[in-house]
Amino acid sequence: MMRFIARRLLQAIPTLWLVATLTFFMLRLAPGGPFSSERKAAPEVLANLEAFYGLDRPIGRQYLDYLWKLLHGDLGPSYKFATHTVNEIIAGAFPVSLQLGLAALAVAVIAGIPAGVFAALRPRAASSAIVMSVATLGICLPAFVLGPLLALWLAIKWHWFNLAGFVSARDLVLPALTLGSYYAAYVARLTRAGMIETLGQDYIRTARAKGASEWRVITCHAWRAGLAPVVSFLGPAVAGLITGSFVVETIFQIPGLGQFFVKSAANRDYFLVGGVVVFYAALIVLCNLLADLIQAWMNPRLRLE
Amino acid sequence: MFSNGISRRPFSCSKILPRAAASALVIALLGSGCAPPESAVQRGNREGILHLSNGDEIKDMDPHTVGGIPEHNVVTSLFEGLVVLNNRTLEPEPGAAERWEISKDGLVYTFHLRPNLRWSNGEPLTARDFLNSHQRVLNPKLSAENARMLFVVRNAEAYYTGRVREFSATGFKALDDRTYQIELQSPAPYLLGMIGYHHIWSPIHLPTLEKFGGQARMATRWTRPGNLVCNGPFLLEEWRLNGYLTLKKNPHYWDASRVRLNGVRFYPISSGDTEERAFRNGQLHVTYDLVRPKLEYYRRERPAVLRQEDYLTVYFYRLNVKRGPLADARVRQALSLAVDREALAKHLLRDGSKPAWLLVPPGVPGYQSPDVPASDPQLARRLLREAGFPDGTGFPKLSIQFNTHEKQRAIAEALQAMWQKELGISFELANAEWKVLLANQRTMDFDISRGSWVGDFLDPKTFLDIWCTGEAKNGTGWSNPRYDALIAAAGKTFDQAERFRCFRQAETILSEEAPVIPFYFYKRVYLLNTSVKGWGSNLQGYYGLKDVFLDPS
């Protein structure tokens, strides 16, 4: 077990190095720089700025400097937010994305799993068809349609929520619903498929034959195997959820990491893009590892070694 | 920062999912069970806090190094220069200086500071602070983007470039604690307007800068809440990056009794749809802009909150005069004459933007742009024929470059169609991401490229200077000695009539030579809650929050 974890973490090092290197060079290849603007600064001003941020050095040297700092956990300065470092920006924005992501995950799990189980119990009933149709609709409806619709109904019409900004937990309800509904729909479909398969297994028949109630069959016997596909889906999905969604953050003006990430690319904020990408990569590695561990715990047939 | 137990132990155990789920459910139930809470606007009206959307997150609050409109809105509320502008007429009014004298030749400005000036930390503010601040702006190490604005002052440029070593040799002088003198290189009747509008002339508290790494060091923490010391009507209370930025009333401000707002909260909302919804939901007193598809609705249903104001900005295309047929002034003029700007403004923009045949927007007091031929497709065709391209035959394939944006594409398509129809020339459309467009402009890698210019002060100079030979912002390759001479001549006199005569002639040359084709003058369209009183509506979008107050009745 520990060896498995250690090996996975060691494997992450070359991955992260590759991600950092590719991002570094791809950004430098993009035309335009962090200091270009419509008001074209004088050449001496530009030269000064570039010297201050070390952009006047040879590219190889800049790259080595970057890696050296990265090794020490220093992700560098931001050009656009001149008085903030990338570390500060991530430290400020990630907790917001994390909260939003977890709330969305809760929406996905709370709505998705019961719906899937319900549909699996009576696969051919009209009610299951309705549930699964709604789920399909949830997958098809993009956030930039659902978000404004929820905002119109719940915030503007009935004034239940604020719809821009994040001050209290209440402000996360609409974004979490928007972000979570797609995942809820997906979880519902996966749950249904997994459950239908599991409920056809011999050991379930045995449990039923022994007189176990349907509730007991699902909560004690079927859920581990039935939810395995959901868990393997949720690993990468959680990484996606907690790293922030640009669309949902923009619709509801949530100061999470997604907005910083997308805008930093447009601003050519080299260190901010690089820092966020490396941070994302690390998170995804972690989430995948966690998903593997949870799956192994749920299904003893899976061997880690 | 927002600890609720979840963020502190993100991956600790498998109990996290049910817990997060439960809290989400509880929140949802709470949310749906309650009566509508007081909106931000209602609360703001009660507490005297103005809530406004500021378009984008600001880079910093250092008045000497930042540019940009969102930054301007915040920084001019924190810092006050020698003069301020009236937020309706844009007339310069006493700010930190209670009065001033201008010498007959217009070269020497003597400002008399108020006796009771204080920094927000209570320390007295003197003429020496202005002197040191202006010296800092001219320190080349600081890399102040707009340092050039101070070059109107005697020897300021020489000091900046290092030709003059002693700051005492420049035209900045603190005669005593309360008298500050500025001697100019050449007359500049727009000086007071520029000082009033642009925060690069503001004083800053140097001891604070020294504490945080030195006065000429970039990107230090002196502008963070708790560190920043300022002298304007408001001071910095809180700054949550991409969340909001809160200012509160500065008790040490000399005119604090006249400031009626207790605070201001700026939201960096970059999505126009989001800010419009937030306004409708009662979260904002003022929006930064209004998404154009909503304009018709507000015009019809809620005209009381809709504001449409002329704005000191011109929209144009730069022509690269080094590219093929664009080197011929007749071709360039033909392109300009073939455009039906009235149709463009009326049918495409539809927000009240005024058609532009010249670069200086209307509204500069006392200035009247020259009469130039309006759109004339027939003349355009003749000019094109004379240039050797009858009905567009033999005209090479050139492209129009614009930044990737719906509106930019729509405008480019309209122009493409007009040029095709009137002149028989077909242009390619090439959209580029913003930074790519700027990079191409810098290296002159374009045929026709989209641009715009916001005036820095209420004077034709700010729109005409940039087309002089060798100006970094020219960007067309165009050069005309007669034009340069006129702009230089206008810079030598204090006589407005004479200056304006030069500018009018320069504008005429520009329209004949057409290295740049203007299309329209901007309209600023935004929403304003009716409880906001004393709001500034002016050509420069200058807020003047000192005079704003909230009165829901």
Side-chain angles (χ1 to χ4, degrees):
Chain A
M1 180 73 172
M2 290 322 284
R3 268 186 59 203
F4 169 77
I5 295 177
R7 203 175 67 219
R8 287 284 293 265
L9 290 179
L10 279 177
Q11 279 169 357
I13 292 172
T15 313
L16 292 181
W17 169 76
L18 200 67
V19 164
T21 304
L22 282 177
T23 321
F24 182 89
F25 286 103
M26 275 161 71
L27 275 170
R28 303 302 157 117
L29 286 177
F35 307 117
S36 53
S37 76
E38 194 163 19
R39 303 220 138 206
K40 299 189 184 70
E44 74 274 4
V45 172
L46 272 183
N48 251 333
L49 282 168
E50 288 180 352
F52 180 76
Y53 287 108
L55 292 176
D56 55 342
R57 294 192 207 151
I59 187 87
R61 178 72 201 284
Q62 286 184 46
Y63 171 65
L64 290 179
D65 280 354
Y66 178 60
L67 281 190
W68 181 247
K69 281 187 174 171
L70 214 55
L71 270 178
H72 293 80
D74 177 4
L75 300 173
S78 162
Y79 309 119
K80 156 78 193 175
F81 307 105
T83 64
H84 290 75
T85 64
V86 174
N87 292 49
E88 279 178 304
I89 290 173
I90 293 180
F94 177 61
V96 178
S97 289
L98 183 68
Q99 288 175 76
L100 173 57
L102 288 181
L105 183 69
V107 169
V109 170
I110 292 176
I113 291 181
V117 171
F118 175 81
L121 286 176
R122 289 177 213 81
R124 270 174 283 279
S127 53
S128 333
I130 292 171
V131 168
M132 292 330 284
S133 308
V134 172
T136 309
L137 198 68
I139 292 177
C140 298
L141 209 58
F144 59 83
V145 173
L146 183 63
L149 281 179
L150 286 176
L152 281 181
W153 288 329
L154 299 179
I156 292 184
K157 209 155 170 214
W158 293 325
H159 293 283
W160 286 349
F161 302 104
N162 284 331
L163 46 68
F166 174 42
V167 181
S168 67
R170 193 189 173 105
D171 296 335
L172 282 184
V173 175
L174 292 183
L177 282 176
T178 309
L179 187 56
S181 68
Y182 168 84
Y183 291 90
Y186 216 91
V187 164
R189 298 190 68 84
L190 288 174
T191 308
R192 176 177 174 272
M195 274 299 181
I196 287 179
E197 199 200 323
T198 310
L199 289 175
Q201 302 275 329
D202 288 346
Y203 74 95
I204 297 294
R205 199 150 26 128
T206 313
R208 282 185 177 142
K210 284 180 159 180
S213 70
E214 201 66 1
W215 176 254
R216 204 178 147 72
V217 165
I218 288 167
T219 54
C220 289
H221 304 285
W223 73 273
R224 280 199 178 202
L227 292 186
V230 176
V231 173
S232 61
F233 163 73
L234 282 182
V238 167
L241 279 169
I242 63 178
T243 47
S245 145
F246 174 69
V247 175
V248 172
E249 285 178 13
T250 304
I251 293 173
F252 295 102
Q253 188 57 30
I254 302 295
L257 211 44
Q259 281 209 53
F260 282 108
F261 184 40
V262 173
K263 285 185 189 163
S264 63
N267 290 329
R268 303 286 188 278
D269 204 336
Y270 297 147
F271 290 114
L272 188 51
V273 181
V276 176
V277 167
V278 170
F279 180 73
Y280 277 4
L283 263 182
I284 289 171
V285 167
L286 267 180
C287 286
N288 284 342
L289 177 60
L290 264 176
D292 286 350
L293 292 177
I294 293 177
Q295 259 183 320
W297 166 73
M298 282 172 63
N299 188 349
R301 276 182 294 183
L302 283 176
R303 283 275 176 272
L304 293 179
E305 259 78 26
Chain B
M1 197 186 273
F2 322 108
S3 75
N4 61 358
I6 295 174
S7 57
R8 261 183 268 124
R9 304 195 301 163
F11 305 106
S12 58
C13 65
S14 59
K15 281 188 190 132
I16 196 76
L17 291 191
R19 200 186 297 161
S23 61
L25 194 69
V26 168
I27 292 163
L29 289 175
L30 271 179
S32 57
C34 294
E38 189 182 36
S39 75
V41 163
Q42 288 163 340
R43 199 175 63 245
N45 288 346
R46 191 161 49 73
E47 296 172 342
I49 310 278
L50 181 74
H51 292 265
L52 50 83
S53 163
N54 204 24
D56 198 358
E57 184 53 277
I58 61 170
K59 183 184 168 106
D60 189 13
M61 275 166 272
D62 185 328
H64 295 165
T65 57
V66 297
I69 293 160
E71 284 84 357
H72 181 269
N73 295 340
V74 175
V75 172
T76 51
S77 309
L78 290 169
F79 294 89
E80 185 179 85
L82 293 159
V83 300
V84 296
L85 300 183
N86 180 301
N87 75 358
R88 288 179 189 274
T89 62
L90 293 178
E91 282 290 318
E93 288 181 348
E98 57 184 350
R99 60 193 170 84
W100 54 84
E101 292 114 34
I102 306 172
S103 67
K104 279 240 156 52
D105 55 5
L107 284 176
V108 182
Y109 287 66
T110 311
F111 296 93
H112 301 278
L113 306 191
R114 294 174 191 282
N116 52 345
L117 289 179
R118 290 196 178 275
W119 291 103
S120 57
N121 62 1
E123 289 174 25
L125 191 164
T126 67
R128 192 103 221 134
D129 288 303
F130 278 96
L131 187 76
N132 293 338
S133 299
H134 293 152
Q135 183 174 6
R136 177 194 186 229
V137 172
L138 292 172
N139 185 338
K141 278 205 210 101
L142 182 69
S143 306
E145 255 176 76
N146 291 310
R148 271 149 202 277
M149 284 198 181
L150 272 63
F151 289 0
V152 289
V153 178
R154 190 168 63 83
N155 278 340
E157 185 170 7
Y159 179 80
Y160 180 78
T161 53
R163 274 189 291 115
V164 166
R165 298 242 167 252
E166 293 301 317
F167 192 66
S168 55
T170 64
F172 296 102
K173 297 263 174 339
L175 301 182
D176 59 54
D177 272 2
R178 285 184 48 205
T179 318
Y180 190 57
Q181 197 177 64
I182 294 178
E183 190 189 333
L184 302 185
Q185 190 87 29
S186 48
Y190 53 87
L191 180 77
L192 292 176
M194 179 164 71
I195 293 180
Y197 179 76
H198 209 285
H199 42 71
I200 196 157
W201 295 87
S202 302
I204 51 163
H205 188 249
L206 284 152
T208 302
L209 271 82
E210 296 296 348
K211 209 163 85 193
F212 291 96
Q215 53 162 297
R217 223 183 129 69
M218 283 179 262
T220 69
R221 301 172 68 92
W222 80 271
T223 50
R224 292 295 184 85
N227 302 348
L228 185 116
V229 174
C230 56
N231 74 322
F234 298 94
L235 51 86
L236 178 62
E237 185 173 49
E238 199 184 353
W239 184 16
R240 264 176 45 182
L241 208 60
N242 252 8
Y244 54 78
L245 189 149
T246 315
L247 311 184
K248 70 174 181 197
K249 191 173 162 174
N250 174 6
H252 291 290
Y253 180 57
W254 65 269
D255 205 8
S257 60
R258 211 180 93 197
V259 179
R260 290 168 72 178
L261 287 176
N262 290 320
V264 187
R265 187 169 270 197
F266 292 90
Y267 298 88
I269 307 180
S270 51
S271 154
D273 289 304
T274 301
E275 72 167 0
E276 190 271 334
R277 283 196 298 268
F279 181 86
R280 254 195 294 166
N281 196 35
Q283 281 186 265
L284 294 173
H285 283 107
V286 193
T287 66
Y288 186 77
D289 193 23
L290 176 66
V291 279
R292 295 303 186 262
K294 297 275 186 200
L295 180 59
E296 206 36 56
Y297 165 82
Y298 279 94
R299 223 179 243 159
R300 221 176 38 236
E301 307 289 332
R302 299 186 64 188
V305 298
L306 178 66
R307 307 287 292 221
Q308 284 178 278
E309 286 156 16
D310 288 328
Y311 193 43
L312 201 64
T313 301
V314 60
Y315 183 102
F316 52 75
Y317 277 179
R318 282 189 175 89
L319 308 186
N320 184 348
V321 306
K322 309 276 185 215
R323 284 280 168 97
L326 296 181
D328 191 330
R330 287 169 299 188
V331 172
R332 300 195 301 262
Q333 209 185 2
L335 289 174
S336 175
L337 286 168
V339 175
D340 185 351
R341 292 158 171 90
E342 311 269 3
L344 198 67
K346 200 169 154 210
H347 301 300
L348 189 98
L349 300 164
R350 288 185 300 187
D351 59 0
S353 297
K354 290 192 180 125
W357 284 272
L358 289 164
L359 282 160
V360 182
V364 175
Y367 183 74
Q368 184 70 48
S369 282
D371 287 327
V372 293
S375 303
D376 186 346
Q378 240 174 346
L379 179 59
R381 280 190 286 272
R382 211 187 71 211
L383 284 168
L384 198 66
R385 198 164 52 240
E386 284 169 15
F389 305 101
D391 296 323
T393 43
F395 202 88
K397 195 91 177 167
L398 298 181
S399 72
I400 304 173
Q401 226 175 73
F402 54 92
N403 51 313
T404 312
H405 191 281
E406 230 173 292
K407 178 178 158 192
Q408 307 308 338
R409 173 165 288 277
I411 292 173
E413 277 171 352
L415 292 168
Q416 182 191 36
M418 286 179 193
W419 282 328
Q420 174 73 52
K421 178 173 159 250
E422 303 295 353
L423 303 176
I425 303 175
S426 69
F427 284 95
E428 268 171 25
L429 299 188
N431 63 314
E433 188 231 16
W434 179 236
K435 290 275 184 183
V436 177
L437 185 85
L438 294 174
N440 290 347
Q441 279 183 5
R442 183 174 287 276
T443 53
M444 300 261 313
D445 184 14
F446 67 91
D447 305 318
I448 296 181
S449 181
R450 181 253 133 167
S452 58
W453 192 255
V454 188
D456 289 317
F457 39 88
L458 214 47
D459 192 88
K461 182 180 164 66
T462 178
F463 290 95
L464 300 178
D465 262 4
I466 49 177
W467 311 108
C468 285
T469 307
E471 261 290 333
K473 288 140 189 161
N474 178 320
T476 60
W478 181 72
S479 156
N480 183 306
R482 216 152 56 84
Y483 183 87
D484 295 347
L486 281 166
I487 300 294
K492 289 205 173 67
T493 169
F494 193 57
D495 177 11
Q496 280 293 38
E498 173 64 16
R499 291 179 75 236
F500 287 175
R501 205 177 53 76
C502 293
F503 287 139
R504 261 195 297 276
Q505 284 180 21
E507 278 209 278
T508 308
I509 295 177
L510 214 49
S511 99
E512 286 164 4
E513 288 275 311
V516 50
I517 308 181
F519 296 117
Y520 67 92
F521 300 117
Y522 278 48
K523 204 76 166 180
R524 213 160 78 82
V525 184
Y526 61 99
L527 304 172
L528 181 73
N529 190 288
T530 47
S531 58
V532 182
K533 303 290 184 329
W535 182 254
S537 53
N538 54 62
L539 261 178
Q540 289 190 274
Y542 175 86
Y543 282 176
L545 294 180
K546 175 182 171 175
D547 294 313
V548 173
F549 61 99
L550 297 167
D551 180 9
S553 61

